[in-house]
Amino acid sequence: MQAIFRLTNIVLVLSLLISSVSHIILLASDSSQYRTFVLVQITVQLLACAAVWGIQKFKLSAFIVFFLLSLVFLAINSFYINYGDFAVHFVVFVIFWLCYGSLIYKFKTSFVAKYA
């Protein structure tokens, strides 16, 4: 089961890295405000990669940071980059956290043991 947890985190990091690289195309926009939000989103994705790597090592602080970064990502992506799709983004956000949260819940003893 721990192999599934490790594989999930590796896929998540790779997805975030690919997404941040692909967002570079959006920097060609005419709007400076839009470019600023794209840069912030790329930064959030790169920080989320580091947080997921910390979750891989069962750091509770990394889990909290990753959750907060995902909220920031949701807001920027829904309201500034792909505005108008908040309902779809929120549903995907909830589904992701139900799946990923249940996976982390299976390893809660590893998080607790690290801080006990």
Side-chain angles (χ1 to χ4, degrees), residues 11 17 20 28 39 42 45 48 50 52-53 60 66 75 77 85 101 111:
V11 169
L17 287 173
S20 62
L39 284 173
I42 290 172
Q45 288 174 329
V52 171
W53 201 255
L60 185 60
F66 182 63
N77 204 31
D85 294 334
F111 283 97

Side-chain angles (χ1 to χ4, degrees), residues 12-13 18 20 27 37 52 57 64 67 77 87-88 115:
L12 187 55
V13 166
I18 291 169
S20 62
L27 293 174
F37 282 117
V52 171
K57 296 179 180 182
I64 293 168
F67 180 75
N77 204 31
V88 173
Y115 294 99

Side-chain angles (χ1 to χ4, degrees), residues 16 19-21 23 40-50 73:
L16 286 166
S19 178
S20 62
V21 170
H23 273 80
V40 169
Q41 186 169 7
I42 290 172
T43 304
V44 166
Q45 288 174 329
L46 294 176
L47 290 172
C49 287
F73 180 82

Side-chain angles (χ1 to χ4, degrees), residues 19-29 34-35 38 42:
S19 178
S20 62
V21 170
S22 65
H23 273 80
I24 292 173
I25 296 170
L26 297 176
L27 293 174
S29 173
Y34 186 81
R35 286 192 307 266
V38 169
I42 290 172

Side-chain angles (χ1 to χ4, degrees), residues 64-97:
I64 293 168
V65 166
F66 182 63
F67 180 75
L68 295 174
L69 285 172
S70 66
L71 286 173
V72 171
F73 180 82
L74 172 71
I76 291 173
N77 204 31
S78 298
F79 297 120
Y80 299 106
I81 294 179
N82 296 324
Y83 35 86
D85 294 334
F86 179 73
V88 173
H89 292 181
F90 186 74
V91 168
V92 171
F93 175 80
V94 169
I95 291 171
F96 169 78
W97 276 105

